[in-house]
Amino acid sequence: MDSSPEGDDVEIENETQETPDESTGPDNRGKRKASGNRSQTNPSKAKKPLATRSHVWKDFTRTEENHDVCTCNHCHRKFGCASSAGTSNLKKHLLSCKAYKAWSESQAPGATAITSDGKLTSAKVSEDVFRNASNELLVLAELPLSFIESVAWRHFCNRVNLYTPHSRRTATRDIVKMYVSRKAALKNWFKSTKQRVSLTTDIWTAQATGASYMVITVHFVDGNWQLRKLIIGFKYITDHRGHSIANVLLECLAEWGIQKVFTITVDNATANTSALRRFQGEFSTRGNEALVMEGEFLHVRCAAHIINLIVKDGLAEIGDNVLAIRNAVQYVRSSTPRLKSFELRVESGKMTRGSLPLDVKTRWNSTFLMLQRAMKFRLAFDKMEAEDRLYNDHFNETENGNKRIGPPAIDDWNVVQRLVKFLIIFYNSTLVVSASSSVCSHKCYEYNSRHSQEATVQPSQSTEASSSTGQENVVAENFEGMEMLDDDVEYERMDFAYTELVAETGVQEATDELEMYLKDKVENPINILGTEYDVLSWWRLNSPKYPVLSEMAKDVFAMQVSSVASESAFSTSGRLIDPYRSCLTHYMIEVLMCTEQWMKSDIKLREKRVVTNAQMLADFELHDKLEKGQFSYIFFIFNSFF
């Protein structure tokens, strides 16, 4: 071998050209010659490819067609690289290659880059970071695990000079490890904080496999007064009986170490009623603080399902009027010429242009949107009836042995016009109760309390006494009626619960905190149009003043009035378990479902950099009161407590 200083830059297989001095030198005499003689005596024997030694081969790759030609990994130019010619030309190219210079500067240890949030970070990405990011991509994008080995992903990594992707089996092991580590951290947090949670649960059957899965979601307000939602279980369940549902719930909570539950929100299935009755009896044995008020308010029925049942019964009464408009919309959307004919009537009538959706018969909210939109094109439908013969012939045809209902008459439009004004109340109510990422329990309480006040007026009260004194007297009488009915039961029990929480929190109050809260002035803030009052920000601001009531407020605000939070997980599971991915095990499905939701929850919290107007106003009020010294006594009492 060569012992010259340039020996590190040559390959084993005659990478540098021999000079006469080197071939006849005393140290090298006979060595090159001997290797040449061996090759001549056995020409049919293939040479074994030897490993390269020059550092330039990190930036060049030999072509498969010709071993003596290589390509630059940065600018993709081709160069000759015969073993007898050496690598000097490749080194010279690296000195002038702009793509190589840009890449080398970005890979320098001290190089920095600016992230999306304006922070400086290292521009060099390690292979571990690339591997973890690839696994997170599979989970967040709901991609098949085999995508990591696909041609598309490998081609992408090659084009942007990333590392070689790992295998599908490695990705599966890494994702399971990610799930186990995150789950362990969350379990430790629940055990250390002893957080009381509210639950939502529902059951879904996969169409691809026919297997049933039960999703369990916990809701709570954390220390920063942020409403949190976490899926703690996506369990395979054998049947939909109440006994099985209760057992899965109990096992899941025991696995996570959750010992305090406030409410459980489910739909109106009969099996859920028996399941929660069994759950209440067994879970109450885990401790005195397991349930609030012995689980009297544990079972919360989904308000969205109740609204759905009410509206469906109402639509059944006027089904023919709605069907006439549905058939008219279906005719317009059935072909392109019919749609063009309808658009001509819209333009001639100078009506607002827009889409005309067709509803899904099993979803009343889509029926409401269809009717609301069709009312805006009422004149166009009337012109179709007066001018389009094919439109009228369509309704003369028979359907299932009966004449097709339609076209819409004046009575149909009048009935639907009144119906739309009525359905908009239920539509907006559904949007309110379906919110799972914002607090909505206090909104439903306000609605229910308003109607309960009206119901408490006694029939024996005279009509003159209830109406002649005005609205204020009516409200006063309603409150008096509530106090008379519930004085012996509810106030005593809530006071007992309040006393228990005071003892648990360890607060020794100088005055009655509940009485002080009730005597405070009621706030009626003026919100900006399109915004709503952030009640969590108010409690975050006033929690030092009401330390016990704030803990109770966290439980109430975390309560869900609909099971939409659990049902939304089924959209994700439907994409995970499709006919092309039906071989996933039950455990792996739970791993992917939970990990994705946990990661998205963390990302959402990190992206909450924009402070709402209510939060900014609360912060300004807090600083203003601190400057004026109005909160000095509060912090003095709070510090003395803790």
Side-chain angles (χ1 to χ4, degrees), residues 5 23 44 50 79 104 136 144 150 225 244 272 276 280 366 397 444 483 486 495 512 545 573 575 589 601 633 637:
S23 61
S44 61
L50 300 177
F79 299 90
S104 60
E136 293 174 354
S150 64
W225 289 93
S244 302
N272 291 329
L276 292 187
Q280 179 180 349
S366 64
E397 299 174 356
C444 298
E483 184 176 359
D486 300 335
D495 189 52
D512 192 351
K545 186 177 180 181
S573 58
R575 294 187 294 267
I589 292 173
S601 178
Y633 73 98
I637 297 174

Side-chain angles (χ1 to χ4, degrees), residues 269-292:
T270 307
N272 291 329
T273 303
S274 60
L276 292 187
R277 190 183 302 113
R278 181 184 181 89
F279 174 86
Q280 179 180 349
E282 296 190 13
F283 192 79
S284 59
T285 59
R286 298 188 178 182
N288 297 329
E289 301 176 356
L291 300 175
V292 176

Side-chain angles (χ1 to χ4, degrees), residues 451-468:
H451 286 270
S452 64
Q453 291 170 15
E454 298 174 0
T456 51
V457 178
Q458 301 297 325
S460 59
Q461 295 176 349
S462 62
T463 307
E464 296 144 355
S466 60
S467 58
S468 61

